Amino acid sequence: MTEPRVEIESLHFSVGILGISAGALLLLVNGYSHTQTGPFIPSTALGILLLIVAALLAYAGVRRSLNHAPLFVSVFLTISALWCGSGLVHILAGQGVVVGQAGLRDALVPGLVAFTLALLIIGVVGVMQREVVLSVISFAVCLACAHEIAGLYDRSFGQGATAANYLLVCLLGAYFGTGRMLKYITKSKLQLPGTGLVKKDKLTASQAQDKNDIVITGLVMNLLSASVFACSLLGVVSTLFRGQVPWLWTAGVYQIGVCILSYRCLDTLSATFYGFTSVLKFAEGYTLLLTVWSPTEPYFPVPFPAVFSILFFVLALFITQKSLADGLYLLFYVAYCIAIAAQPQGFFQGGTQGVQAAIFIVSAIMVLVSLHNMASPWRIPTGEGLVKALVSRTSALNLREQDKDLHAPYLGYSKYADAEVLGHACSVLAAFAITATVGPSGPLDIVILPWAVVAGGALQLLSGSVAFARGKTLESTAFILYGIMWVVWGLTRYGGLYGATRGFNVAVGIICFMLFNCFVMVGTLFLSKAWFAYALTFELILISFLLDAVNALPFGYDIGVTIIFGLVSFYCFLANLFNSSFQSPQLPVGEPFIKLSGYGGGSGKCPHVPARKATSVQKIADILKNGGTCGIPTDTVYVLVAACNRPDAVEKAYKAKVHAQDRPMSLWISSIKQLEPARHLINPLLWDFMEAAWPSSISMVILRGKWLESFGLKDSAKYIGTPQSIAIRNPNCTVTTHLIDLVGPIAVTSANPTGEADTTHHNQVYAKLGDKVDGVLCDGPSPENIASTVVDCTKIESGNIGFFRVGIFPKSQVLQIFERVQRKHKGGGVDNTAFVTDIAEETTTPETAVRSKGELSSVKEEVELQEEGQDK
């Protein structure tokens, strides 16, 4: 039975709808005012305005891409790409690059054809899912594109029909977007009729695991680029020329965005695929631009497309674990690369364009199937899980579980999957691209520049940025350094900037890169043998660049070392891809030449289990019950804990820190009910204050008493707090409190050596404490790095509380809670009538009712030391 439909709210939806309405208004004004003498809005101005609206729609689509709204994301990003590409074409027309009606037709039609089909498919799926607003917008913009195509071929058709469709979009978008905005601004007090949003029926469990909605946009971009060459093959346009470059480069830019967001969705395989296809889009556009400077069609060297076809084939094999349809789809790109390698003029020849026509058809089918499967609870069979089922029957291969824990970085925090597969693949592409020989006609006549600059440069910079976000400093340094080198060398050597000039001025820059890479090589000694070989062979390439700069390059040396580097990069690509897909066996990457203690050994020496699993929490509880110490997450930072009923474990945790005697431990409970056995020993006002304030990030410093003996600490009680006081807390963290429910009250200290920064990620626990920890409960990054609020309750019997530290919990709220409890007591609502103080004589005399200033100062100093030993 499906879940009931409930309303959802999204400011991004309102912004996106109003953005579409604004773009439609712009186009309908331009359409209705269009005359035989020319457009009402100048082409350049129209193009710039369309680019602004396209950026707004892209923002709205990207912000919603992680919330599993496939139709919303597909509509907004598709229309954004449409207006981005057409805006660029209009700018070219306004600047005289695209000349005449025929030129404008040849430039616009390929893109309009692709988006007409894409929006038609999205509209059909929208109707099937009863998304009225999105489906009407899709159909209206689809019809507008179709009418615009007709108007470009027959001027007597006019632009009125196009404008009429945009008028519908404008009115619908303005009404719906305004209604949603009013509801958002007025906090649901005012809403126009018919502008409510509903959440669709809950998807099945298998569908819920596949939430990378952004891949639909990637498929649409493949449809767009294929349309350019398919239209040329079928005679829809008269020629391929630079006016079509905006469509190709728009597809490339959006696919780089798809690549990044796929990493954000932890979908490494899709990210790698769309990274590959973006390279092709930029190369296709660059090739069309070359026709401006070169009278002859450019030549495509064989090595690069041949190697690219191998990479696509390997990726196709691994992507079949997602679905068989995805693997078959990638085989069309294998055929495309083979066609480029087989024909010297590549994109300009019929065989290559024929494969693109096939890609156009298959991409349209994939858009329909993928979007339907994402948006609907009923799936079209795509062979999903078929390969996994076959592999699971063999004992030789053991598939790795594909969950978020697979992509957890060892140190630090990241929301992105690992990008090393793409980084190494780009090194392969760039390396084999520069093996081509530049002929006497110059480097521009040979298509090398986009392979080196886009694949080796831009995408390696992207991989380095993702690695940096994952806390992988060395890997990010290597990818970024190599990416910069490929960009500089590609533009210099294959962009026509180098020429026949040789000299020391070029050599100086290369020497700097060589020195930087030496530091990278030293770092890889601590990483793995494969990474060391990768850095070493790149150093050999840099040497070949240096020898070429000083005109002393031995014959064949540069090609030899480049092929070696390409092969090493290919092995790293294959190893990362294979090891991320299979638990066993693993392709060896080699142990590091030099090992550092602590770092990198945690997961193999003590259990690292995910906190989201109940079985994992039980496993950590068993370790604590058996006298172990564990690192666990809290509502602030990670802490080291031991069960109070295991005195030996408390002592072990206490001595795990340097200068432990200066950092007393604190006591944590999961509920005030755990203090029930000692309730008669606790002041009634303090008891009610605890009950009202917890669970929260409030630590209460209270006087020591006989109540502490009820927790089984025995001799280890001396490690908890100070001789006069103790800090006690009930954390506001579900995982932590559940663990304490299983174990009982716990003794807590910070999970870092004395004097070091707090531990903010589970992968830092073992790295900092080593063998002193017996298990780690992994819950990713710490939610807060702000200290807890420490309240002085040592004088609460006199009706006063103080503050040793004001942290994440505001002082005003603590005082409000305490005042409410005080009013309750003054009104006679005291529950703890059985309270018996063990210092009755002190509390009944006026002389001892208030502690001396000197004693209070001593307590405060002790508490500060104690709080430094617990979480911040």
Side-chain angles (χ1 to χ4, degrees):
M1 191 172 183
T2 59
E3 286 186 346
R5 298 176 178 232
V6 295
E7 290 196 353
I8 59 174
E9 183 57 67
S10 173
L11 178 61
H12 305 121
F13 189 96
S14 306
V15 171
I17 289 289
L18 291 175
I20 290 179
S21 180
L25 176 63
L26 178 68
L27 291 169
L28 78 87
V29 169
N30 186 67
Y32 275 130
S33 59
H34 193 91
T35 63
Q36 295 294 330
T37 58
F40 175 73
I41 303 176
S43 294
T44 302
L46 177 63
I48 293 174
L49 291 173
L50 284 175
L51 288 179
I52 294 173
V53 176
L56 181 65
L57 295 181
Y59 166 79
V62 169
R63 287 302 301 265
R64 289 285 290 168
S65 63
L66 299 176
N67 295 330
H68 196 49
L71 281 169
F72 178 96
V73 174
S74 301
V75 170
F76 280 56
L77 290 182
T78 300
I79 296 178
S80 172
L82 166 64
W83 288 347
C84 178
S86 59
L88 292 172
V89 172
H90 282 295
I91 291 175
L92 294 180
Q95 297 302 309
V97 177
V98 176
V99 182
Q101 180 70 12
L104 185 62
R105 180 183 65 242
D106 287 345
L108 283 175
V109 166
L112 294 176
V113 168
F115 285 111
T116 299
L117 179 57
L119 289 168
L120 176 64
I121 294 171
I122 294 172
V124 169
V125 176
V127 170
M128 296 169 64
Q129 300 305 313
R130 291 176 289 176
E131 292 281 0
V132 179
V133 176
L134 295 178
S135 59
V136 170
I137 289 176
S138 299
F139 284 133
V141 178
C142 169
L143 291 174
C145 291
H147 286 126
E148 188 172 357
I149 294 172
L152 288 170
Y153 279 98
D154 186 357
R155 300 192 66 175
S156 62
F157 189 82
Q159 296 296 320
T162 301
N165 287 291
Y166 281 124
L167 176 61
L168 174 61
V169 174
C170 181
L171 294 176
L172 177 63
Y175 177 79
F176 199 86
T178 302
R180 300 304 303 166
M181 190 69 74
L182 283 174
K183 181 179 180 183
Y184 183 85
I185 294 173
T186 62
K187 297 182 179 180
S188 301
K189 294 179 181 178
L190 179 62
Q191 180 178 351
L192 297 179
T195 59
L197 290 177
V198 293
K199 183 184 290 185
K200 285 298 183 180
D201 297 337
K202 186 177 180 181
L203 301 179
T204 62
S206 60
Q207 286 178 312
Q209 296 174 359
D210 185 15
K211 293 187 178 181
N212 190 3
D213 301 337
I214 201 72
V215 298
I216 304 300
T217 304
L219 292 169
V220 172
M221 295 306 105
N222 287 339
L223 186 74
L224 173 59
S225 62
S227 175
V228 173
F229 295 97
C231 286
S232 175
L233 176 69
L234 300 175
V236 178
V237 296
S238 59
T239 184
L240 292 172
F241 74 119
R242 57 184 173 175
Q244 295 148 354
V245 172
W247 296 118
L248 296 172
W249 283 6
T250 294
V253 170
Y254 275 71
Q255 285 199 328
I256 286 181
V258 171
C259 174
I260 296 171
L261 291 172
S262 294
Y263 282 123
R264 180 66 177 81
C265 294
L266 306 181
D267 189 353
T268 303
L269 295 173
S270 294
T272 305
F273 170 62
Y274 290 111
F276 284 177
T277 54
S278 69
V279 176
L280 290 173
K281 307 301 184 289
F282 285 109
E284 291 162 357
Y286 170 79
T287 305
L288 298 187
L289 281 181
L290 283 183
T291 57
V292 178
W293 298 288
S294 176
T296 60
E297 292 177 341
Y299 171 75
F300 286 76
V302 174
F304 179 88
V307 171
F308 213 170
S309 67
I310 295 174
L311 293 179
F312 267 117
F313 181 75
V314 172
L315 186 62
L317 292 179
F318 284 91
I319 211 170
T320 52
Q321 63 182 298
K322 293 181 62 179
S323 75
L324 190 60
D326 289 331
L328 295 176
Y329 180 60
L330 263 66
L331 292 181
F332 283 88
Y333 281 91
V334 176
Y336 182 51
C337 292
I338 293 174
I340 297 173
Q343 298 180 314
Q345 274 68 49
F347 306 131
F348 294 93
Q349 293 190 291
T352 306
Q353 294 176 2
V355 178
Q356 282 281 35
I359 290 176
F360 179 85
I361 298 172
V362 177
S363 296
I365 297 173
M366 288 295 293
V367 170
L368 175 62
V369 173
S370 300
L371 185 57
H372 175 272
N373 287 350
M374 286 184 181
S376 172
W378 308 107
R379 301 178 68 89
I380 298 175
T382 58
E384 183 178 356
L386 180 61
V387 174
K388 284 186 177 181
L390 293 175
V391 172
S392 62
R393 295 181 180 179
T394 66
S395 57
L397 297 174
N398 182 21
L399 280 170
R400 186 184 296 276
E401 183 180 357
Q402 299 293 323
D403 56 18
K404 66 177 185 179
D405 298 324
L406 172 65
H407 302 285
Y410 190 80
L411 289 176
Y413 165 59
S414 175
K415 295 180 179 180
Y416 294 87
D418 203 330
E420 284 193 35
V421 172
L422 179 62
H424 290 303
C426 290
S427 294
V428 177
L429 297 175
F432 281 96
I434 65 173
T435 57
T437 303
V438 177
S441 58
L444 292 179
D445 286 338
I446 301 179
V447 182
I448 300 176
L449 184 62
W451 313 131
V453 173
V454 178
L459 291 184
Q460 281 221 344
L461 291 174
L462 186 154
S463 301
S465 300
V466 173
F468 183 79
R470 290 175 53 76
K472 304 178 78 170
T473 309
L474 179 62
E475 293 91 329
S476 68
T477 302
F479 284 136
I480 291 174
L481 176 66
Y482 298 171
I484 294 173
M485 187 63 210
W486 286 122
V487 170
V488 172
W489 184 252
L491 291 174
T492 303
R493 184 71 179 86
Y494 302 102
L497 304 179
Y498 201 3
T501 304
R502 299 292 188 273
F504 188 70
N505 54 343
V506 178
V508 170
I510 298 174
I511 291 172
C512 292
F513 275 102
M514 292 176 63
L515 292 176
F516 287 138
N517 192 53
C518 287
F519 289 109
V520 173
M521 289 172 59
V522 172
T524 57
L525 294 173
F526 302 89
L527 192 57
S528 69
K529 291 183 175 65
W531 260 100
F532 177 75
Y534 181 68
L536 176 63
T537 51
F538 191 79
E539 186 76 6
L540 298 178
I541 288 184
L542 292 176
I543 292 173
S544 72
F545 293 166
L546 177 63
L547 294 175
D548 183 62
V550 297
N551 206 22
L553 181 66
F555 178 76
Y557 172 80
D558 55 339
I559 295 179
V561 297
T562 302
I563 291 176
I564 293 174
F565 174 73
L567 293 175
V568 171
S569 300
F570 179 78
Y571 181 80
C572 292
F573 158 77
L574 186 61
N576 277 276
L577 192 58
F578 189 90
N579 295 344
S580 63
S581 300
F582 295 98
Q583 188 74 37
S584 63
Q586 296 269 288
L587 291 182
V589 294
E591 293 292 326
F593 289 99
I594 304 173
K595 290 186 178 181
L596 294 178
S597 61
Y599 178 81
S603 59
K605 295 186 178 180
C606 75
H608 281 59
V609 292
R612 60 187 175 83
K613 295 182 178 180
T615 53
S616 301
V617 179
Q618 183 64 56
K619 186 172 185 179
I620 295 297
D622 292 339
I623 294 174
L624 293 175
K625 290 177 181 178
N626 292 324
T629 59
C630 297
I632 67 169
T634 69
D635 48 351
T636 53
V637 296
Y638 279 78
V639 294
L640 181 66
V641 304
C644 287
N645 56 11
R646 295 303 301 257
D648 53 336
V650 175
E651 182 177 2
K652 178 183 175 183
Y654 176 77
K655 294 182 178 179
K657 299 169 65 69
V658 181
H659 306 302
Q661 64 274 13
D662 297 331
R663 300 292 184 268
M665 304 175 76
S666 59
L667 177 70
W668 285 18
I669 58 176
S670 62
S671 170
I672 196 171
K673 293 180 180 179
Q674 291 184 327
L675 297 178
E676 281 287 350
R679 181 172 181 175
H680 64 286
L681 301 174
I682 298 176
N683 183 282
L685 181 60
L686 175 59
W687 180 272
D688 288 347
F689 183 42
M690 289 178 176
E691 200 169 40
W694 286 340
S696 66
S697 54
I698 298 176
S699 295
M700 295 189 186
V701 179
I702 63 177
L703 295 174
R704 295 181 73 99
K706 293 181 179 180
W707 58 270
L708 194 59
E709 298 175 359
S710 62
F711 298 125
L713 286 162
K714 298 181 181 179
D715 292 340
S716 66
K718 61 185 177 183
Y719 302 123
I720 310 292
T722 67
Q724 290 77 28
S725 63
I726 183 174
I728 186 169
R729 185 176 168 200
N730 179 6
N732 189 21
C733 177
T734 303
V735 173
T736 309
T737 54
H738 179 50
L739 179 64
I740 301 175
D741 283 337
L742 297 174
V743 177
I746 56 175
V748 178
T749 186
S750 57
N752 55 273
T754 304
E756 290 192 9
D758 294 317
T759 301
T760 58
H761 195 278
H762 60 255
N763 284 330
Q764 297 174 351
V765 175
Y766 188 88
K768 291 183 176 183
L769 296 179
D771 295 332
K772 298 172 184 177
V773 61
D774 300 311
V776 179
L777 191 60
C778 305
D779 197 34
S782 300
E784 299 288 350
N785 291 326
I786 305 175
S788 60
T789 298
V790 183
V791 181
D792 177 15
C793 298
T794 56
K795 298 195 305 177
I796 197 169
E797 66 273 7
S798 64
N800 297 314
I801 61 171
F803 291 85
F804 289 121
R805 181 178 65 205
V806 177
I808 187 173
F809 204 97
K811 178 179 179 180
S812 60
Q813 293 186 22
V814 177
L815 293 175
Q816 288 175 4
I817 295 171
F818 184 63
E819 288 174 0
R820 287 199 301 269
V821 174
Q822 277 188 314
R823 286 196 298 268
K824 174 183 175 182
H825 276 254
K826 290 179 180 178
V830 181
D831 298 326
N832 195 0
T833 55
F835 169 66
V836 178
T837 177
D838 57 347
I839 51 172
E841 295 80 3
E842 290 186 349
T843 58
T844 55
T845 62
E847 292 78 12
T848 58
V850 181
R851 306 181 64 176
S852 68
K853 292 184 179 179
E855 186 178 355
L856 179 60
S857 175
S858 175
V859 171
K860 182 174 181 178
E861 182 180 352
E862 292 166 353
V863 169
E864 288 175 345
L865 291 174
Q866 181 177 348
E867 285 303 313
E868 290 178 10
Q870 68 164 345
D871 74 289
K872 292 186 178 182

